[in-house]
Amino acid sequence: MYIKRNESGQVVQVSHEATAECREFLPSGSSELQEFVSKGGDDVDNLALSKSDLAFVRVLEDVINVLMDKGVISFTDLPEPAQQKLLERQSLRKRRNSIGLMSDTDNDII
């Protein structure tokens, strides 16, 4: 998990992937992460937003695939980092599907 801290050093935002705001890595079992998740109020909203972001990633991936299937864009039109992320996700999904953990239509949210 990648986190963003406030001026006091407290965790204020969490992401499964590094982002412009969430750059510092913490293991998912970290006590700081557990504390962040267990808090209420705005922190709950932030967690809900993060989960929503994860679901939206799958939507964007599907949209990109549709655009490529229709010939609107090609894989090589995407920036190199985007190409790598898509390839990594396809590889992970194939591995998970090959051992029967999820179908191709399931959400990627853990």
Side-chain angles (χ1 to χ4, degrees):
M1 303 295 284
Y2 292 87
I3 63 160
K4 174 184 174 183
R5 296 182 187 271
N6 64 13
E7 322 62 63
S8 304
Q10 296 173 318
V11 176
V12 294
Q13 188 174 357
V14 177
S15 173
H16 279 281
E17 294 187 24
T19 66
E21 291 184 313
C22 299
R23 299 179 191 168
E24 181 184 344
F25 178 80
L26 279 181
S28 58
S30 159
S31 60
E32 285 182 282
L33 281 177
Q34 299 302 319
E35 181 181 335
F36 174 79
V37 171
S38 67
K39 288 182 181 177
D42 289 336
D43 293 334
V44 171
D45 291 338
N46 286 338
L47 185 58
L49 185 59
S50 293
K51 284 186 177 186
S52 173
D53 288 347
L54 293 175
F56 195 66
V57 166
R58 181 61 193 260
V59 171
L60 287 176
E61 184 180 354
D62 290 344
V63 168
I64 290 168
N65 287 331
V66 167
L67 292 173
M68 287 191 296
D69 289 346
K70 292 186 177 251
V72 176
I73 63 170
S74 66
F75 184 74
T76 55
D77 290 337
L78 301 171
E80 181 69 26
Q83 291 178 22
Q84 290 302 317
K85 284 186 187 335
L86 283 171
L87 290 173
E88 288 170 13
R89 288 186 56 79
Q90 288 174 350
S91 175
L92 286 170
R93 188 169 299 107
K94 284 180 184 176
R95 282 199 316 237
R96 289 175 79 175
N97 287 344
S98 71
I99 57 174
L101 292 179
M102 69 181 283
S103 72
D104 195 35
T105 59
D106 287 341
N107 288 336
D108 293 336
I109 298 174
I110 297 173

